[in-house]
Amino acid sequence: MIPEKHFAVAVDGPSGAGKSTLAKAIAAKLGILYVDTGAIYRTIGYAVKRRGIEPRDEAAVRAILPELEIGMRYEADGEQHMLLNGQDVTREIRLPEISMYASAVSALPAVRAFLLEMQRDLARKHSVIMDGRDIGTVVLPDAEVKIFLTASAEVRAQRRCLELEQRGTPKPYDEVLRELNERDYNDSHRAAAPLRAAEDAMVVDTSALDFDASREALLALIREKLQ
Ligand code: DC
């Protein structure tokens, strides 16, 4: 059983490792809040694209940050809706071209600083399972449970293809794999909060596990840590 106390589960890892689907299912099971931090970076990426700003231009991106009101709303089904200056952009931020914008703006220290407090505040107010790239290392270094979720690039690209197909925006596998490798490289080689496993994170490779097996493996690890 999970004790009735306040706790945080940090889930980091590369894109397509299954972080969001698994974290969402675990949040529902444990009755805690699921926070998808990638969606927050995507919202900034979307705002930057809409304004026609070059996402690597830190001065230009920094200049618009004070104008961005980023909001989150949870629907009854546990879906995390993203609001940008009052507009629901949940669907728009999932468009494939926003991934690169999100990855580019997420490398900017000004953007990371802008979002840090927002993420910590959520974890102060609620027990959370928060997924991202730097949750266990930077955002919630004191999280009770830290998981680094990974899978081979090929398996992750296959999963991404399936997801894009289901969303009605299919893309060829080779292109998905190339973009995924490029994004992994950007996310792991940036100076600001690069993607890496925290020293005290438990590494879980889901390459050979299906969804149910991955969820059960994570739940077992979380329960063990929280005992
Ligand atoms: O998880 P995702 O693919 O929706 O994330 C979009 C981008 O945002 C990803 O390329 C890296 C970045 N990101 C980050 O730098 N830090 C986080 N905590 C979450 C996402």
Side-chain angles (χ1 to χ4, degrees):
M1 277 304 292
I2 297 294
E4 285 189 19
K5 62 171 188 180
H6 184 270
F7 64 92
V9 181
V11 182
D12 292 302
S15 54
K19 297 187 301 291
S20 47
T21 357
L22 285 165
K24 199 172 161 187
I26 287 167
K29 183 92 180 167
L30 301 182
I32 61 175
L33 188 69
Y34 164 53
V35 182
D36 171 359
T37 64
I40 313 177
Y41 286 95
R42 283 172 180 273
T43 302
I44 303 220
Y46 174 73
V48 163
K49 180 172 192 285
R50 236 182 32 185
R51 284 170 166 74
I53 294 169
E54 156 55 43
R56 284 184 179 78
D57 182 344
E58 179 151 29
V61 173
R62 192 196 297 119
I64 65 153
L65 291 178
E67 298 161 24
L68 304 186
E69 203 189 300
I70 311 274
M72 286 165 64
R73 191 177 62 210
Y74 288 88
E75 301 278 303
D77 60 359
E79 189 73 34
Q80 173 184 311
H81 280 247
M82 292 307 305
L83 305 174
L84 175 62
N85 294 12
Q87 186 201 342
D88 191 323
V89 294
T90 312
R91 273 185 70 84
E92 289 82 347
I93 62 170
R94 296 295 158 195
L95 293 172
E97 69 263 27
I98 301 302
S99 300
M100 282 298 172
Y101 273 83
S103 183
V105 296
S106 73
L108 306 176
V111 170
R112 305 206 75 84
F114 179 70
L115 296 181
L116 188 59
E117 209 30 50
M118 175 183 183
Q119 297 168 83
R120 286 189 175 158
D121 195 47
L122 284 162
R124 264 193 295 271
K125 291 187 177 137
H126 311 270
S127 281
V128 293
I129 178 162
M130 189 176 279
D131 85 19
R133 304 293 189 286
D134 63 336
I135 309 305
T137 50
V138 177
V139 179
L140 305 176
D142 297 326
E144 282 74 6
V145 188
K146 295 184 187 178
I147 293 165
F148 191 82
L149 202 65
T150 188
S152 72
E154 290 74 19
V155 167
R156 290 187 288 119
Q158 275 163 17
R159 289 178 186 161
R160 187 61 95 200
C161 278
L162 198 68
E163 189 185 322
L164 289 171
E165 214 174 283
Q166 284 162 352
R167 283 210 183 106
T169 50
K171 254 192 178 188
Y173 171 80
D174 289 351
E175 198 178 318
V176 170
L177 181 63
R178 185 177 44 76
E179 286 182 6
L180 189 130
N181 279 326
E182 195 180 325
R183 205 142 70 88
D184 281 358
Y185 185 87
N186 288 346
D187 295 346
S188 336
H189 288 79
R190 66 187 179 210
L195 167 66
R196 65 177 179 83
E199 296 208 338
D200 48 350
M202 298 174 287
V203 178
V204 179
D205 188 322
T206 66
S207 303
L209 301 179
D210 68 8
F211 176 77
D212 287 346
S214 305
R215 186 194 53 210
E216 290 315 306
L218 293 190
L219 275 169
L221 287 176
I222 294 169
R223 290 192 165 114
E224 197 182 307
K225 270 276 174 188
L226 291 178
Q227 256 176 27

